[in-house]
Amino acid sequence: MSKRVRIIEVGPRDGLQNEAETIPTGRKIRLVDTLADCGLKQIEVTGFVSPRWVPQLADAAEVMSGINRPPGTCFSVLIPNLEGMKRAIRCAPDAVAVLTSASEGFCQRNINCSIAESLNRIRSVLAFAGDRKMLVRAYISNVIECPYDGRVAPAQVARLAHTLLTLGCDEISLGDTIGAGTPDRVDAMLAAVLEAVPVTRLAGHYHNTNGRALDSIKVSLARGLRAFDSAAGGLGGCPFAPGAQGNVATEQVVQALHEEGYETGIDLEHLTSVAAPLAHGMRSQQ
Ligand code: HMG
Ligand code: MG
């Protein structure tokens, strides 16, 4: 089985969206540029979401236009609907990430619609993206547990993942939004999803609320997953998921992977000494 692992850096979006204090656009641009310098080949730069819902990302277009775009690095953005897609397309992202949830409660609070309606939105985004040969990732939030609805059945995640694949999404990122995963529960969820979706189309997106994200990654590696989302400095959370804390820190993931003999292509030294402190310095409460 391959020892190559793909890391998708989501800190500039998933991390900064949760910060209460306005972060100057220039600092966000510097963070993205620094992460790219570390050899991160996939970076979720920002989100074209409603500035009323997430004021911190109101400068999405300025950030996207200000960053360096070295060839070979994929710069993606989060979009919740067709309106977001139409705003994003002007900045020519290499990929977009759409979102839904395995639970109704979070879907409503996060994007103000039902799961069924979120799938309709994803359909319209895919139709729009289709002509442009753009990669589309899909997030499923709360694959283990929802802060509003409680435990989520693995079969529900599997059904949704299969639907997203059938609709035409290229990759499905499995979000443990509130870090509720234990090795057993993550394994049970993956076992169900893998019945429905090839492993090469999956990524793990594990928040580290309970300090178990690295365990979830370990279980996922054993199940064959080779793509993981993480955030430099452990930035992150979700304003619409009470209790959701940082994503698993990119530097911790890379270190753990390298120790186990996996290759990431990432310069751990630069990441640890430059990028992670830069990200960490953007936290309002340190
Ligand atoms: P809504 O209020 O229901 O939208 O928000 P609406 O369609 O009723 O429109 C209301 C107004 O918003 C209109 O403007 C629209 O034009 C505008 P008005 O006519 O009143 O002036 N609008 C927009 N403006 C800018 N960009 C847009 C956009 N869409 C509508 N894209 C909406 C619905 C989905 C927009 C809103 O709920 C939203 O933006 N939600 C995003 C929430 C979010 O960003 N959450 C955090 C990210 S998710 C996450 O962190 C989880 C993840 O990391 C995975 C995991 O951990 O599990 C991905
Ligand atoms: Mg997240």
Side-chain angles (χ1 to χ4, degrees), residues 13-14 17 50 52 81 83 87 110 112 141 177 207:
R13 191 279 305 169
D14 201 342
Q17 73 185 10
S50 161
R52 245 190 288 164
N81 56 10
E83 186 160 342
R87 286 176 60 214
N110 192 40
N112 207 19
S141 287
T177 318
H207 284 257

Side-chain angles (χ1 to χ4, degrees), residues 10 13-14 17 44 48-54 57 78-85 87 98-100 106 108-113 121 139-143 173-178 205 207 229 237-240 247:
V10 297
R13 191 279 305 169
D14 201 342
Q17 73 185 10
E44 195 169 276
F48 286 84
V49 295
S50 161
R52 245 190 288 164
W53 287 61
V54 187
L57 302 189
L78 181 76
I79 51 161
N81 56 10
L82 192 55
E83 186 160 342
M85 183 68 168
R87 286 176 60 214
V98 293
L99 60 164
T100 185
F106 179 78
Q108 283 294 348
R109 265 115 174 157
N110 192 40
I111 49 174
N112 207 19
C113 69
R121 291 180 184 177
Y139 284 109
I140 304 179
S141 287
N142 302 302
V143 295
S173 178
L174 300 165
D176 181 7
T177 318
I178 55 169
H205 177 108
H207 284 257
D229 303 354
C238 176
F240 307 102
N247 282 271

Side-chain angles (χ1 to χ4, degrees), residues 114-128:
S114 64
I115 297 172
E117 175 54 21
S118 72
L119 293 174
N120 285 336
R121 291 180 184 177
I122 290 171
R123 268 188 203 95
S124 61
V125 168
L126 282 162
F128 192 88

Side-chain angles (χ1 to χ4, degrees), residues 92-277:
D94 302 300
V96 294
V98 293
L99 60 164
T100 185
S101 165
S103 58
E104 291 288 354
F106 179 78
C107 206
Q108 283 294 348
R109 265 115 174 157
N110 192 40
I111 49 174
N112 207 19
C113 69
S114 64
I115 297 172
E117 175 54 21
S118 72
L119 293 174
N120 285 336
R121 291 180 184 177
I122 290 171
R123 268 188 203 95
S124 61
V125 168
L126 282 162
F128 192 88
D131 308 336
R132 291 165 174 82
K133 303 218 175 334
M134 184 183 279
L135 277 179
V136 179
R137 295 188 100 207
Y139 284 109
I140 304 179
S141 287
N142 302 302
V143 295
I144 303 291
E145 192 162 319
C146 171
Y148 305 103
D149 301 349
R151 284 176 91 98
V152 168
Q156 159 70 359
V157 185
R159 263 193 307 273
L160 199 50
H162 184 255
T163 302
L164 290 165
L165 196 68
T166 316
L167 291 182
C169 295
D170 297 290
E171 180 166 272
I172 292 146
S173 178
L174 300 165
D176 181 7
T177 318
I178 55 169
T182 56
D184 284 354
R185 291 176 76 186
V186 172
D187 195 55
M189 180 275 294
L190 290 175
V193 172
L194 286 167
E195 295 277 321
V197 175
V199 72
T200 49
R201 308 287 286 275
L202 295 173
H205 177 108
Y206 304 128
H207 284 257
N208 202 25
T209 313
N210 294 307
R212 287 193 297 255
L214 284 178
D215 295 339
S216 299
I217 289 179
K218 201 169 169 192
V219 168
S220 307
L221 286 164
R223 283 274 177 191
L225 271 75
R226 292 292 182 270
F228 298 100
D229 303 354
S230 60
L235 285 179
C238 176
F240 307 102
Q245 288 177 17
N247 282 271
V248 63
T250 307
E251 59 277 16
Q252 282 175 17
V253 177
V254 172
Q255 178 163 1
L257 288 169
H258 288 183
E259 279 169 12
E260 294 296 320
Y262 291 97
E263 296 156 20
T264 64
I266 295 165
D267 179 347
L268 180 59
E269 157 60 24
H270 197 50
L271 180 64
T272 312
S273 59
V274 184

